[in-house]
Each structure stands twice: as C-alpha cells, then as structure tokens.
Amino acid sequence: MYHYQKSLSYKIFIIFNYFILALSALLCILPLIHILAVSFSGSAAATANIVGLWPVDFTLDAYKKTIGNENFVRALLNSLLRVVLGTSISMACMLCAAYSLSKSDHAFKGRKIYMWFFVFTMLFHGGLVPTYMVVTKLGLTDTIWALVLPSAISSFNLILLVNFFRTSVPKSLEEAAIIDGANHFTIFWRIYLPISVPAIATISLFTMVFHWNSWFDGMIYMSNVKHYPLSTFLQTIIVQQDFSKMSVDAETLKNLSERTVKSAQIFIAALPMLIVYPFVQKFFVKGIVLGAEKE
Amino acid sequence: MQTQTHLESQTVINKKKKLKKNGWNLRNTWQLHAMLLPAVIIVFIFQYIPLFGLVMAFQDYEPWLGFLHSPWVGLDHFKTMFEYEDARQVIWNTLIISSLKIVFNIVVPLAFALLLNEVYIMKFKRTVQTIVYLPHFLSWVILGGILIDMLSPEGGIVNRVLVSLFNIKPIFFLGDNDWFRTVVVITDVWKECGFNTIVFLAAITSINPTLYEAAIVDGANRWQQTVYVTLPSMLPIIIVVGTLSLGNILNAGFDQILNLYNPLVYKTGDIIDTYVYRVGLLNGDFSYGTAVGLFKSIISFILVVAGYRLAYKYANYKVF
C-alpha cells in the first residue's frame, strides 16, 4: 500500500520480525500442547518427566479415569447448568434495562439517575466481606443462585449494549412503530432484539466465558463439594491439592493425584474455551472496537 | 407520502409539547421503568446493600450481636492496618506487582502491535493475533494448573530445559521470594498481551494514510514513519489505556495470585485482596477484613475517577 524504499536493513528486519512473532505465538500455544501430550501419555512416562510435546506410550487411561470420576462429572454438569442459567438471567435483565437506558434523556425522564445507579457500581465496591455476608444472610449458600445472581448485571456489558442500541437501531423505524400504536414492549421485542442479534451474541459469549471460568464464588459460597462448578473443583484438587472435602477411597485418590489425570482434567476444562474461541475471538475484537469507538 | 411525513412531524411536536407539560410522564414511560426493575433490584441487593455492611469496618463485629449491637471502635482497624508489619508489606507488594504489570502490559503489546503492523501476509498476521489472544480466555485455575506443573522444580518442563541448556540447579519459581514477582508479572503479560495488542492494532489501522504519504514524500523510511507518524498518532489511545489502568493499581490480580502463591512466598507475593480473603473470610475477622477492603475501595475510587478525568482531559475519552 505504501511505497517506500525497501532497504537491505528493512529486509533483514522483516525476516527477524517474522521469526519473533512466530516465536511469541509458539510460546502462547506450547504450554497447552505440553499438557495435552502429558494427558495422553502413560503414567510412568509422565512421572519420569520424559514427556515433551508429544505423548510417550500413548494411552487414553487418564481420560477414562477422569470420566469415571463421579465428582468430576457432577462438577461438569454444575458448570453447564451455571452457564445456561447464568447467561439467560443476565441477558434477559440486561437487555430490558439497556432498552430503557437507550432512550434519550428527553423521552425518558430519570434515565440519568438510572445510568449513575449502574455506573457507580463500576467505581465503588463494598468489597469481599460485606458481599459475602449479604449472600449468606439471604440463604443463597449451597444453591446455584449464589453463583448466578450476584454477578448477573455487569455494568460494563450493560453500557456496551446501551451504546449498541443507541447507534445501530434506526430511529425512523421506531418512530414509525410508535405511530402504528406499538408500545415499548412491542418495539423492544419486534425491532430492537432482531436488529441486535450480533451484539446479543457478543455479550452472551462474554457472559458464558465469565461463568465457565469463575471459581472463587463457588469456593466461598458452596460448602458441599457436590455443588462445586468445574473450575472450583479443579482449583481445589489441582491448585490447592486439597482432597479433604471429598469423601473418596484410596484408589480414587491415587488416580486423582496422578499427573496424567490432572493434565486430562485441565485439558477438558479448557476444551470448551478452545472450541468456542474462534467465534468468541471474532466477537471480542468487535466488542473492544465497539467499546473503543463509542462516544 | 407528503401528508404522512407532515402527520409524523406533527405527532412528534405534539408529543414534545405533552412531555413538557407533565415532567415524568409516567403514562408513556412506566414500561421503561418496569423494564429496568429486575436489573435495578439485583444491583441494589448485591451491590448497594453490601455498602451498608461497611459499618463493620468501624465496629468489632460479632455475628451474634449484629450490626446494631456490635461495639463501635472508630478507626481502630485502620490504625492496626498501618501499624501491622504484615499489612504494610501487603500494600507494598500490591503496589510493586501492579505497577510492573501496568507498565509491561502497555509496553509489550505496543511493541507487539507495531511488529504485527509490519507483516503483510494477512494470514500470518491473523494467525499470530489469534494465538496470542488465546490465553486471555483461559481462567487462572487452568493456567495455574498448567504453570504449577511446568514450573515445578521436580521435573517441570521449564526447569528441564534450563538445566539442560545452562547446567544450573532447578529453580523453585513459585516458592522462591526472589522469583515470585517476576513469574507473576511475566505470566500476566503472557496471558493479557493479546487484548491490548488488538486495541493498539485497531488504533494503528485508523491512522489517516495521508500522513504516511506525506512522510514518504519527505523521504522518511519505515522506522522514521513509525517514530514520527505512528507513535504520535497512537498517543491518545496509549494515554487512555494508561490512565484507565490507574484505577487498577490496587488490583494486583486476585485470581492469579490466589492460584499461584503459597505460604512460602507470602513475603513478596501476598496482595491486599488475598490478605482480605485470608483474614476476613478464612480467619473470620470480618471487621478487620472489611476495613482493609474499604481502604482499598476508597483509594481505587479516587484513582478510577482521576483516571477517567485524565483520559477525558488528555485524550477526549468518554466512558458513556
């Protein structure tokens, strides 16, 4: 596109540049490949630390043991429930709110107050302890609601949706609908939602990723390991290596602490992200640009 | 057609007149209020009610006495915090780790975006961008699990490579106070680099091409173009990213630290959030935990507001 002299030094730089970039990309992907290789290796090879980027003594043992572990499967199901329920509640509440907030200050008196009500939560938090106490006092501990309700409204995502509604729904369409006697619910349902499918998909994906990855709330609000979502479960057994909360026999315990099984569990937890990643990435880029260009 | 447009504008005018007459105009807007209700209720319960719980910071809160009957102690907990060696060390750790993260999370992605911008094979560019962005989507639980395995002094792959290349003793990266902060900063940059790279790349592509053409006419080579056109044009977005991350100066990465640290490295790796979690929830010292958390919230609030103001002043950036 630009015409400039391709000097020798520039050509050398270009080769060097490709090399550096390829190396950085490799650095980002190699850890995952290593874990994958360990998970497919025989447990003797893994313990002897001879696995690099390719499985040694290929076997599916670790995956069989993981799938056979009922604690793991239950945690996986908890996570799926959390993602589905959490995302639906979040999106339903945020979309309705964003519709109202997308009106002009003139047409909707009080909009500014609501807007500040939400923005303030981005600026100031009560902190960990008071929030924990509210959730406990409401009796939400050991229920799925402790995981989906406190984080249901993300002010940041809400503002993204408001900005999207404001910039991409044609005002003329809305005015025409008003003249035809449509009320706000109809306009929201028939005009706003169909037009905003890409934005809704983007924010839904943000929310799903958030729920799949969250683990800390599971750890502080769930006292019974049966209610742990997958991330919390993995945090307990892989990062903390704490098996005390699980009533497991010696055999299962031995399986759980095997390096190959740990790797298999890590990989299974990462898998949904790896699958949706290409889609999410495209949308995330849009989201960032959406966020950066709003005015 | 003409009449319709006329009618339309007439209705709009009528509506405006009506609006001016009765301020809140609930007949037309009750539905808008109703649609906000679920979100408002959830935010009120889970974000605003905890604010009342902040009174605990000024009490010796006992669960069986409740907020109303727990004894008041004024600013005692805040005093304890500043007198207590542990707490001072924690604040210091937080500041060091987060400042290093802020700096490197701007410098590395910026350099990376500039390098990517010199790539003209689109497929290569897109592939690199996609891969570098990947770790951002994996949680610290997954990455923590991977890192603990890879950085282990007993046969972790990193130590194996280092030992075979440089013939040194294995390093206990996650258990050594000399190494912990370095590991935290490097792994954080590794995870989050892709995000800011995309922000910076978007800024580069929106630079007006005529600026480059003018520079070329003046005989500027690619390096000079980068220094005199690209970087100055990117200054506003760099300022925005920098000032907005000011608000994070007390967030040194709770998820990351909690998944990587252990009692061996509390001295250099313990940060405010992990400290609040341990003393507040694990040890059950609700009041002290709340006080430390409140201290953090207030400082963060001031910095976030200051950050937004600076971003607005110097880069004309508005959040909403």
Side-chain angles (χ1 to χ4, degrees):
Chain A
M1 193 172 162
Y2 310 116
H3 300 279
Y4 46 88
Q5 283 191 314
K6 291 195 171 79
S7 60
L8 179 67
S9 57
Y10 186 72
K11 279 179 196 151
I12 294 172
F13 161 74
I14 285 290
I15 295 169
F16 175 73
N17 189 20
Y18 277 96
F19 178 72
I20 290 279
L21 290 174
L23 195 71
S24 333
L26 273 180
L27 273 180
C28 288
I29 199 89
L30 286 183
L32 275 173
I33 296 178
H34 174 63
I35 286 295
L36 188 62
V38 172
S39 73
F40 280 121
S41 298
S43 77
T47 324
N49 298 319
I50 51 171
V51 184
L53 298 173
W54 198 253
V56 180
D57 307 332
F58 182 88
T59 168
L60 289 174
D61 248 20
Y63 287 90
K64 279 183 198 145
K65 281 178 188 162
T66 307
I67 302 294
N69 176 3
E70 59 168 14
N71 282 310
F72 182 86
V73 176
R74 194 166 40 215
L76 187 69
L77 292 177
N78 286 343
S79 268
L80 289 178
L81 175 65
R82 172 180 187 168
V83 168
V84 172
L85 193 66
T87 310
S88 331
I89 292 178
S90 254
M91 289 313 287
C93 295
M94 288 203 296
L95 282 169
C96 289
Y99 171 80
S100 296
L101 293 174
S102 71
K103 301 291 156 222
S104 67
D105 287 331
H106 185 78
F108 180 31
K109 275 269 168 72
R111 174 185 174 273
K112 271 226 165 86
I113 301 172
Y114 282 117
M115 208 63 192
W116 276 110
F117 178 80
F118 289 112
V119 169
F120 181 74
T121 64
M122 287 167 83
L123 304 176
F124 195 83
H125 311 262
L128 176 64
V129 182
T131 313
Y132 171 82
M133 292 184 71
V134 167
V135 174
T136 352
K137 286 257 157 75
L138 287 171
L140 298 181
T141 39
D142 273 317
T143 67
I144 187 88
W145 305 112
L147 305 180
V148 298
L149 287 182
S151 54
I153 308 296
S154 145
S155 297
F156 184 76
N157 288 346
L158 184 64
I159 290 175
L160 282 187
L161 281 174
V162 171
N163 282 329
F164 186 85
F165 281 163
R166 291 199 132 185
T167 50
S168 35
V169 178
K171 284 282 159 284
S172 54
L173 210 58
E174 195 179 337
E175 276 159 15
I178 293 175
I179 288 162
D180 288 345
N183 62 24
H184 284 302
F185 298 134
T186 325
I187 295 172
F188 171 64
W189 192 252
R190 289 283 185 74
I191 297 177
Y192 275 65
L193 289 190
I195 287 179
S196 314
V197 171
I200 296 172
T202 312
I203 309 286
S204 300
L205 279 170
F206 285 17
T207 314
M208 288 161 102
V209 170
F210 166 82
H211 276 298
W212 181 263
N213 282 340
S214 294
W215 59 279
F216 184 65
D217 44 6
M219 199 168 79
I220 57 175
Y221 297 135
M222 304 294 146
S223 55
N224 191 331
V225 80
K226 277 185 185 153
H227 300 128
Y228 274 9
L230 189 58
S231 296
T232 313
F233 178 76
L234 290 184
Q235 214 275 340
T236 320
I237 60 166
I238 292 176
V239 179
Q240 293 184 44
Q241 317 212 347
D242 172 10
F243 302 98
S244 57
K245 284 182 187 156
M246 267 152 268
S247 49
V248 287
D249 50 276
E251 171 72 18
T252 326
L253 193 64
K254 200 180 128 262
N255 285 344
L256 278 176
S257 48
E258 255 175 57
R259 193 163 165 223
T260 52
V261 178
K262 280 186 193 168
S263 303
Q265 289 175 327
I266 291 177
F267 193 75
I268 293 177
L271 196 60
M273 287 297 109
L274 300 179
I275 293 171
V276 298
Y277 175 63
F279 307 100
V280 184
Q281 193 246 359
K282 205 176 82 196
F283 283 130
F284 260 90
V285 175
K286 269 193 208 154
I288 294 173
V289 176
L290 198 79
E293 284 177 357
K294 73 202 169 197
E295 268 292 303
Chain B
M1 195 64 208
Q2 196 98 46
T3 32
Q4 208 189 336
T5 342
H6 178 71
L7 260 175
E8 207 177 295
S9 51
Q10 198 61 43
T11 346
V12 173
I13 292 167
N14 283 345
K15 260 183 72 191
K16 278 183 184 164
K17 270 186 192 158
K18 228 194 262 167
L19 254 176
K20 262 179 199 155
K21 257 184 235 158
N22 63 350
W24 286 78
N25 191 22
L26 282 177
R27 206 163 63 86
N28 281 341
T29 60
W30 69 268
Q31 291 168 328
L32 296 175
H33 292 284
M35 288 169 87
L36 274 161
L37 199 60
V40 167
I41 291 176
I42 290 176
V43 168
F44 184 76
I45 294 178
F46 294 106
Q47 310 270 358
Y48 281 86
I49 293 185
L51 296 183
F52 296 107
L54 289 174
V55 295
M56 279 187 296
F58 308 98
Q59 295 178 325
D60 255 339
Y61 177 78
E62 300 290 356
W64 56 87
L65 293 175
F67 296 116
L68 294 178
H69 303 288
S70 292
W72 289 89
V73 296
L75 295 174
D76 274 9
H77 294 300
F78 295 92
K79 266 187 219 148
T80 323
M81 185 175 93
F82 285 108
E83 281 160 9
Y84 206 31
E85 177 94 30
D86 275 15
R88 283 212 305 260
Q89 182 68 42
V90 160
I91 295 173
W92 184 233
N93 290 342
T94 310
L95 288 176
I96 293 184
I97 294 176
S98 66
S99 329
L100 286 172
K101 278 186 180 175
I102 290 174
V103 171
F104 283 103
N105 272 323
I106 290 179
V107 175
V108 176
L110 185 63
F112 207 74
L114 290 175
L115 291 180
L116 265 180
N117 191 42
E118 299 302 317
V119 169
Y120 299 101
I121 306 170
M122 277 307 149
K123 222 173 180 170
F124 182 82
K125 190 172 172 179
R126 224 173 303 133
T127 314
V128 170
Q129 213 177 321
T130 309
I131 294 176
V132 172
Y133 199 18
L134 175 65
H136 175 76
F137 294 90
L138 300 174
S139 71
W140 275 115
V141 172
I142 291 172
L143 295 178
I146 295 178
L147 287 170
I148 288 171
D149 181 272
M150 284 179 45
L151 296 175
S152 148
E154 287 140 21
I157 195 162
V158 174
N159 271 312
R160 263 153 63 202
V161 171
L162 288 179
V163 169
S164 65
L165 280 184
F166 304 108
N167 202 15
I168 48 166
K169 268 196 203 156
I171 300 166
F172 190 8
F173 288 103
L174 295 176
D176 185 336
N177 280 308
D178 294 335
W179 277 99
F180 189 73
R181 284 180 192 152
T182 316
V183 172
V184 165
V185 173
I186 291 178
T187 53
D188 187 69
V189 171
W190 172 68
K191 182 178 192 274
E192 303 299 344
C193 173
F195 184 86
N196 278 349
T197 302
I198 287 176
V199 173
F200 289 142
L201 263 182
I204 293 180
T205 44
S206 64
I207 295 173
N208 188 348
T210 54
L211 290 176
Y212 289 104
E213 283 155 21
I216 292 162
V217 171
D218 289 345
N221 64 25
R222 200 62 193 142
W223 171 247
Q224 287 163 329
Q225 288 171 38
T226 307
V227 174
Y228 296 109
V229 179
T230 315
L231 281 179
S233 311
M234 289 178 74
L235 203 57
I237 188 78
I238 297 173
I239 291 175
V240 168
V241 173
T243 47
L244 294 190
S245 48
L246 246 181
N248 276 328
I249 198 120
L250 293 186
N251 286 327
F254 178 65
D255 269 15
Q256 180 193 18
I257 305 270
L258 206 53
N259 278 305
L260 293 180
Y261 83 160
N262 54 67
L264 288 177
V265 288
Y266 280 173
K267 203 180 128 214
T268 54
D270 198 14
I271 56 168
I272 297 179
D273 289 323
T274 47
Y275 182 68
V276 168
Y277 168 58
R278 280 206 323 278
V279 298
L281 287 193
L282 293 186
N283 299 349
D285 196 345
F286 291 127
S287 282
Y288 184 57
T290 308
V292 180
L294 177 60
F295 167 76
K296 188 200 149 193
S297 292
I298 291 172
I299 304 281
S300 296
F301 174 75
I302 296 169
L303 290 172
V304 171
V305 173
Y308 281 147
R309 291 210 77 116
L310 287 173
Y312 179 66
K313 195 170 166 196
Y314 291 106
N316 206 15
Y317 173 87
K318 265 198 238 154
V319 191
F320 68 96

